[in-house]
Amino acid sequence: MMKRFFVVLLIGFLSLSSASAKGIESTGDHDYNRAQLVGYRLYQYLANHNFSNTKIDDGLSKKAFDLYIKQLDPQKRFLLKGDIEKLRAYADKIDDEVLSGKIELPERGAEILAERVAKTQQVVKELLAKDFDFTQDEFIETDIDKIDFCTTETELKDRWRKVLKYQVLSQYLNLLEDSTAETAAEKAPKESAKPEDLQKKAREKTLKSYEETFTRMQQEKRSEQFDRYFTALTRAFDPHTNYMPPTSKEDFDISMKGSLEGIGAVLREEDGVIKVESVKAGGPAARQGQLLAGDTIVKVAEGNSEPVDVTNMKLRDAVRLIRGKKGTEVKITVKRQGMPQFVIPIVRDVIQIDETFAKGTTIKDEKNGKTFGYIKLPSFYRDFDSFSHGKEGRNCTDDLKNELKKLESENISGLILDLRNNGGGALTDAINIAGLFIKEGPVVQVKSASGKVKVHYDEDPAVYYKGPLVVLVNKFSASASEILAGALQDYGRAVIMGSDHTHGKGTVQIVFDLSEGLPFSFGEQYKPLGALMLTTQKFYRVSGGSTQYRGVEPDIVLPDPLKSLKTGEQYLDYALPWDTVAPVQYTKWQPALPDLAQLKARSSARVQGNQEFTDMVKESVRIGELQAKTLQPLHIDAVRKEREEALKHKGKEAKARSPHGASESKKTDTSLSEEERKQQWVLEVSKDPYVQEAMGVLLDMVSPTAVVSVR
């Protein structure tokens, strides 16, 4: 079947080339034939190399269809149920379309969406032509999963009425607050702006924002419609298998590296919205402290200018809005699960290189005089480019060795290794760093799509630190962090502390250039074809369990204000499941750890008596309640009250996520000398409640009364 299709496709190419030679070229034919070739190349790789050996059949097609609809109308504000039913005729045919080369769904979907966008544009103009009544007791459901597509145009119009009413109300309150602040700042009394004038201005601002959105949607290229279709097909395998369409080098860097100079964050485009994948250590966003992985970016504003709605915007276009010159401010409106939208102001800057590297310090316990070591590892970095050219490149293993040597000279009684917010990096360094704390032995197992399992070993018998060890993790510790934490936990080498689970990213991806390997050098006019990021391997601990999905469960779970935040692999569509392979033989660390039950009990007693942790528990309950409350009031008094509550609690979530508490944002003072920044950082670390509790556990571990564990 594949061979027959390829021959048919080749004939199509020759026909098109012949037509082009006569001066006849159809742009539509070009896009369609290119889509056929992309589909064929994707089929080749997906069918033969995906890790889970998933078949491209009707079952996969139905998953891809659901993802396609999510991308086509993620907010359920354009399409009607009847439209979905028309498209559902293709639900089990995506596999057939890609194989046969007869691709119809993206064409039909784009056609229906275009009709609905045109009608919606008129509805929005009509609704924003008159004032809203902000004194009515009504609500809007903000959880998209709890609502269905509308059945009738009347129902859809009412949904838009509520959406627009809430957005105008928010704009109105913003304008009212600004007007009040300006009046208060004036020395002479100033007449307050009239409510009707403020609402008119709010309606005008909202309309302008939506007009830009509609224009953007109407200008979507045909190739982008096919790209959406292929993205849905690939993501039906797992969250990290993804089609990346060809773009300029700048956009390629964004897709492949997540390199967003300006605020220091990695973004991804998911189901029509822009989400934060991770926040880069040392970057402006990390120093500001409020932006979290998993946040949805709704709007972007340059300084005090009008915000631009980025819903349904392409990633590269959103990035251009976020980027800017060093020292300028960008205001990002963020939506977090179960919480009202809020604005995060970030001053653009270049990433402070010293913040991205491993660094350590000592912390003295004033009560008993003992000194403990602390090392922060922001990522598993390695300069592969230098190594590939035969040069020495900086890497986190060597940096960690140097930090350990410094701390050993200080006669530390225990060590804290901080992997919070560490999203991973080089597998080589996860293995090497584990080897710094254990004698030689297996560290991680890697299984390929064929089912073959390869064990990666630490082959260096040297141990660079032999004392008591605590590893701090949270929900944003992922990939290589989980390999290291899991290995140290399995060996009984360290006590793992932090959130109730780490991220759960236990897979490996390889990028395939779809333009490479085409026979006969034909199809040049369709290149570049883009790339496929494909999951090909999976990580397993030496004890046999995967780090995928579940992540690493700490020995001691500490309070987490973001406990109810649904972030991690287990919350992603079609995430690969947790499973096991056979354990490998390894020798547990000696001396054994103290009894974990005893360490937990002592830690729990300290935590219960710690006011900061008590506040965190309260904050966790509050955030959980907010997330459960998905009905948003549209009465002005109720919205005012919510805004006041949000302002009162602003920054507490950032404090929870920041490795060193709320004072992380203070590091934006670039006037400080290197030594002053170092001292400020040491002070922040010493006041961090998680670090303080890790010191408490280390004290218990070195206590003469500590009971040995048999883990």
Side-chain angles (χ1 to χ4, degrees):
M1 176 68 81
M2 290 285 287
K3 188 174 182 180
R4 179 179 64 79
F5 165 65
F6 194 65
V7 172
V8 172
L9 195 58
L10 176 56
I11 293 172
F13 292 155
L14 294 176
S15 299
L16 183 57
S17 298
S18 176
S20 298
K22 296 177 182 179
I24 302 172
E25 183 172 3
S26 168
T27 303
D29 286 343
H30 179 278
D31 287 338
Y32 188 80
N33 280 277
R34 179 186 170 280
Q36 286 182 307
L37 182 54
V38 170
Y40 170 72
R41 295 293 283 162
L42 287 174
Y43 194 104
Q44 281 184 307
Y45 285 110
L46 292 169
N48 299 311
H49 301 291
N50 77 84
F51 171 79
S52 55
N53 294 311
T54 301
K55 294 181 179 180
I56 303 179
D57 56 13
D58 289 356
L60 182 86
S61 182
K62 290 174 182 176
K63 290 180 179 179
F65 176 79
D66 289 341
L67 289 172
Y68 173 76
I69 294 299
K70 274 188 176 182
Q71 293 182 72
L72 194 64
D73 187 8
Q75 302 298 316
K76 300 176 183 175
R77 294 179 186 173
F78 294 99
L79 302 179
L80 297 176
K81 278 187 179 180
D83 299 326
I84 303 299
E85 289 310 309
K86 289 178 184 177
L87 295 174
R88 199 171 296 282
Y90 299 94
D92 59 356
K93 293 182 172 59
I94 294 177
D95 56 321
D96 302 315
E97 286 193 347
V98 175
L99 182 58
S100 68
K102 189 178 180 182
I103 301 173
E104 297 180 0
L105 175 57
E107 304 266 57
R108 185 68 177 128
E111 178 186 328
I112 292 175
L113 181 63
E115 293 174 1
R116 291 299 175 195
V117 169
K119 288 183 178 180
T120 301
Q121 188 171 16
Q122 295 304 313
V123 168
V124 169
K125 284 182 180 178
E126 177 188 329
L127 290 170
L128 289 174
K130 52 188 177 183
D131 283 346
F132 292 98
D133 182 358
F134 296 146
T135 62
Q136 288 182 322
D137 287 320
E138 59 179 347
F139 298 82
I140 181 173
E141 178 58 70
T142 59
D143 188 341
I144 299 301
D145 293 332
K146 291 183 179 180
I147 63 175
D148 199 354
F149 288 94
C150 294
T151 304
T152 66
E153 291 186 2
T154 301
E155 184 184 345
L156 184 60
K157 182 176 180 179
D158 191 60
R159 177 172 294 178
W160 270 102
R161 180 186 65 80
K162 290 183 178 180
V163 168
L164 295 171
K165 181 177 181 178
Y166 177 65
Q167 292 178 345
V168 171
L169 176 54
S170 296
Q171 282 276 17
Y172 172 80
L173 290 174
N174 289 339
L175 292 170
L176 185 62
E177 289 167 4
D178 291 343
S179 175
T180 303
E182 288 175 6
T183 302
E186 293 287 335
K187 293 183 179 180
K190 181 180 178 181
E191 185 178 351
S192 299
K194 296 179 180 179
E196 57 269 27
D197 292 337
L198 290 179
Q199 185 175 159
K200 181 182 178 182
K201 190 174 181 180
R203 287 189 285 106
E204 289 172 347
K205 285 175 174 286
T206 304
L207 178 60
K208 182 182 177 183
S209 177
Y210 271 108
E211 285 294 340
E212 292 171 351
T213 298
F214 294 139
T215 299
R216 189 168 60 243
M217 294 178 73
Q218 290 162 342
Q219 291 176 344
E220 185 178 61
K221 297 177 182 178
R222 193 169 178 228
S223 60
E224 293 175 327
Q225 297 162 9
F226 286 116
D227 292 344
R228 180 192 296 126
Y229 173 81
F230 292 132
T231 298
L233 170 66
T234 54
R235 284 188 51 215
F237 284 83
D238 69 83
H240 306 290
T241 292
N242 194 28
Y243 170 64
M244 295 181 292
T247 57
S248 65
K249 186 177 186 304
E250 176 189 35
D251 299 329
F252 180 78
D253 289 340
I254 293 167
S255 298
M256 299 295 287
K257 300 179 181 178
S259 177
L260 304 184
E261 295 177 356
I263 66 169
V266 180
L267 307 184
R268 71 176 187 273
E269 188 178 342
E270 180 182 305
D271 300 334
V273 297
I274 306 299
K275 286 198 170 184
V276 179
E277 179 79 23
S278 62
V279 179
K280 285 185 172 292
R287 297 198 301 273
Q288 197 276 347
Q290 287 182 274
L291 193 67
L292 304 183
D295 283 347
T296 296
I297 297 179
V298 182
K299 297 178 183 179
V300 177
E302 179 69 31
N304 294 321
S305 63
E306 192 62 27
V308 177
D309 193 320
V310 298
T311 305
N312 289 313
M313 184 180 284
K314 294 296 177 183
L315 176 61
R316 60 180 175 272
D317 295 329
V319 168
R320 289 191 181 105
L321 294 175
I322 295 171
R323 283 179 172 174
K325 293 182 179 179
K326 175 182 176 180
T328 60
E329 184 181 63
V330 60
K331 292 181 178 178
I332 299 175
T333 303
V334 163
K335 179 73 172 72
R336 192 170 295 162
Q337 292 172 352
M339 298 176 64
Q341 294 181 10
F342 60 99
V343 178
I344 300 176
I346 301 174
V347 177
R348 299 179 179 105
D349 198 357
V350 294
I351 295 177
Q352 292 184 11
I353 298 301
D354 60 330
E355 295 294 336
T356 68
F357 296 142
K359 58 180 179 179
T361 187
T362 56
I363 309 171
K364 190 170 184 179
D365 189 307
E366 299 298 337
K367 292 182 180 179
N368 53 43
K370 291 186 180 295
T371 299
F372 296 98
Y374 170 90
I375 297 178
K376 173 63 183 175
L377 184 62
S379 68
F380 290 80
Y381 53 87
R382 175 166 288 266
D383 185 354
F384 284 108
D385 186 58
S386 294
F387 278 105
S388 66
H389 289 85
K391 300 177 182 178
E392 292 238 0
R394 187 165 187 174
N395 64 85
C396 59
T397 300
D398 289 343
D399 286 352
L400 209 63
K401 282 182 185 178
N402 292 331
E403 292 297 333
L404 288 173
K405 289 176 183 177
K406 293 177 188 175
L407 294 176
E408 284 276 41
S409 67
E410 299 284 343
N411 296 317
I412 58 174
S413 298
L415 174 68
I416 301 165
L417 178 61
D418 194 344
L419 300 181
R420 288 176 294 171
N421 308 320
N422 184 324
L427 173 63
T428 300
D429 290 286
I431 297 167
N432 291 344
I433 290 175
L436 302 181
F437 300 102
I438 62 171
K439 295 179 181 179
E440 55 190 339
V443 174
V444 65
Q445 304 184 73
V446 181
K447 186 169 77 171
S448 65
S450 66
K452 183 178 180 180
V453 177
K454 180 179 180 180
V455 182
H456 292 265
Y457 291 84
D458 161 44
E459 298 178 347
D460 183 357
V463 180
Y464 288 79
Y465 174 73
K466 299 179 181 180
L469 176 64
V470 163
V471 177
L472 288 174
V473 296
N474 63 7
K475 290 182 179 181
F476 304 98
S477 304
S479 195
S481 291
E482 295 170 297
I483 291 171
L484 175 58
L488 295 178
Q489 189 178 57
D490 286 338
Y491 272 86
R493 177 64 185 92
V495 173
I496 313 300
M497 299 174 61
S499 304
D500 54 2
H501 65 83
T502 55
H503 188 276
K505 204 285 190 176
T507 55
V508 183
Q509 286 72 42
I510 293 179
V511 176
F512 297 95
D513 187 336
L514 300 179
S515 298
E516 294 182 357
L518 283 172
F520 315 125
S521 299
F522 71 88
E524 290 295 327
Q525 67 268 43
Y526 303 107
K527 294 180 181 179
L529 300 177
L532 171 66
M533 180 178 285
L534 180 62
T535 297
T536 57
Q537 296 177 314
K538 198 172 182 181
F539 291 128
Y540 295 84
R541 294 164 61 155
V542 293
S543 55
S546 175
T547 56
Q548 169 64 18
Y549 198 84
R550 293 185 183 179
V552 175
E553 297 177 0
D555 300 307
I556 297 176
V557 176
L558 297 175
D560 181 1
L562 302 180
K563 182 178 181 180
S564 59
L565 188 66
K566 294 180 179 179
T567 183
E569 194 80 5
Q570 59 188 278
Y571 298 106
L572 300 178
D573 287 331
Y574 309 123
L576 296 182
W578 178 87
D579 64 343
T580 63
V581 296
V584 291
Q585 186 175 359
Y586 61 99
T587 303
K588 291 267 192 173
W589 177 260
Q590 294 297 329
L593 288 171
D595 180 62
L596 284 175
Q598 188 181 82
L599 292 179
K600 286 180 184 178
R602 291 180 176 179
S603 176
S604 178
R606 282 191 298 270
V607 166
Q608 289 178 20
N610 185 303
Q611 188 58 49
E612 284 191 83
F613 281 125
T614 299
D615 291 341
M616 287 182 193
V617 173
K618 291 179 181 178
E619 184 67 6
S620 176
V621 172
R622 187 188 75 86
I623 293 175
E625 290 173 347
L626 277 174
Q627 289 177 341
K629 183 185 175 185
T630 57
L631 281 176
Q632 172 64 50
L634 297 176
H635 192 291
I636 189 169
D637 292 338
V639 175
R640 270 200 184 104
K641 184 177 179 181
E642 283 193 348
R643 288 163 70 100
E644 290 169 1
E645 278 294 308
L647 186 63
K648 186 168 66 174
H649 292 276
K650 185 179 179 181
K652 290 187 178 180
E653 299 93 337
K655 180 178 179 180
R657 182 181 183 275
S658 170
H660 314 303
S663 56
E664 177 81 2
S665 60
K666 293 178 182 177
K667 285 185 275 186
T668 55
D669 187 354
T670 55
S671 64
L672 297 177
S673 67
E674 183 177 345
E675 181 58 30
E676 286 173 328
R677 287 202 306 271
K678 170 77 172 179
Q679 291 303 315
Q680 186 184 69
W681 175 74
V682 172
L683 180 63
E684 291 165 359
V685 169
S686 65
K687 290 183 176 180
D688 184 339
Y690 294 99
V691 173
Q692 288 287 330
E693 180 50 32
M695 289 170 58
V697 171
L698 285 171
L699 281 170
D700 290 338
M701 292 170 70
V702 299
S703 169
T705 60
V707 180
V708 174
S709 172
V710 293
R711 181 176 72 176

